[in-house]
Amino acid sequence: MIFIDMMTPVGHVRLNRFYLSHVWCKGDVLVTGEKLQGAFAEYSVRLVPDFRKGILNRAIVAIMLLRQLAKLPDRKVCFLSYDLLFMPLVVFCLSILGKTIFVFEHNTAPTTRAKRIFQKLMGRRVRHFVYAPHISRVFSELQLNYVTISHPILLGAVGGASGAGELDLIREKASRCQSIVFAPSGTSNPEDIAQFAAQHLDKFFVVKTAVSMGAENIFCASRFEDYIEIMHKCDFVYIPFSRVDKVSGPFFEAIGLNKRIILTRDAFGIYGKTEFPDLVRFADEGFDCFSEGARIDVDQFNGDIVRKLSVELHQ
């Protein structure tokens, strides 16, 4: 098996290490960008130039990738990430070489006209790994070859606060409020959070955003050194996430910590509440209707994912 991280997103290193640690077999190869070589030092790695914006650079990455793949005898290729613009060309060349192709779908789901065109050009030869049923529907509408495999729960190390004083500062500012609500997703709409916070002045909102908000019950920062520790210590997690082409990584981190999570009533929110009914409520349901002592068996949840993925890759 050849694993390919074409886009080399630093934020996906933990996710990709999870996959490799469970499905890697002797003789497998990982093709990734130069900047991530150290992140996968224990694996057999082949390097291509790092992905950067710009048509010329993206074309160079695709060409160098194909040169690497032409030298490798493995018949199966799994893309941990891929550049949708050049993927139809890559798939065409790999098809000539007789490769079986799998791809993980992150923000490449065909939710725009351009993405639908490029996904259709890739054809049914590609097996798409899709994270949630509401994302699967757009692949089904295009009659593409897909399977739904949940996003794993990735646990961060709790108890490793940096000493930067973030937690102490948050607790001091939140002293007049009944509870702390952490909004950890940088892709959430700040206006949605501000409106929700205005409806719940007894709650103190800690928000990951570069946008400044003037409300007394909101604390904003573009980055938190003690991110996992803040999530662990907060009372609730609020994720207004309306994207239909991907899932929220912070959501699964919060699930792993058995946090009480507030989602908006949209496609992702419905998926989250259906998958984890004891830990998730909608924003219009309020904060007082959670089940006491609800917990997720992370090992069982992730084990089901690994078993399903292993069948797909190694059957």
Side-chain angles (χ1 to χ4, degrees), residues 3 15-24 30 40 43 80:
F3 294 93
L15 176 63
N16 291 338
R17 286 186 62 84
F18 170 87
Y19 290 132
L20 295 179
S21 69
H22 288 94
V23 299
W24 185 272
L30 170 65
F40 302 100
Y43 296 100
L80 302 170

Side-chain angles (χ1 to χ4, degrees), residues 50 131 149 214 217 225-226:
D50 291 328
Y131 283 127
I149 301 179
N217 67 327
E225 294 292 336
D226 298 338

Side-chain angles (χ1 to χ4, degrees), residues 58-69:
R58 294 165 71 177
I60 291 173
V61 171
I63 292 169
M64 296 299 292
L65 173 63
L66 288 171
R67 288 183 61 185
Q68 289 278 11
L69 295 177

Side-chain angles (χ1 to χ4, degrees), residues 216-228:
E216 292 185 0
N217 67 327
I218 299 179
F219 175 78
C220 300
S222 59
R223 184 173 182 272
F224 291 101
E225 294 292 336
D226 298 338
Y227 171 89
I228 289 295

Side-chain angles (χ1 to χ4, degrees), residues 1 12 24 31 50 53 57 69 74 78 83 85 88 95 98 110 122 131 141 195 218 252 272 285-286 296 305 309:
M1 178 77 68
H12 287 183
W24 185 272
V31 181
D50 291 328
K53 293 182 179 180
N57 176 74
L69 295 177
D74 305 71
C78 179
D83 183 357
L85 179 63
S95 299
M122 287 165 60
Y131 283 127
E141 291 168 0
Q195 291 176 7
I218 299 179
F252 288 94
E285 294 178 309
I296 297 297
I305 293 171
L309 182 59

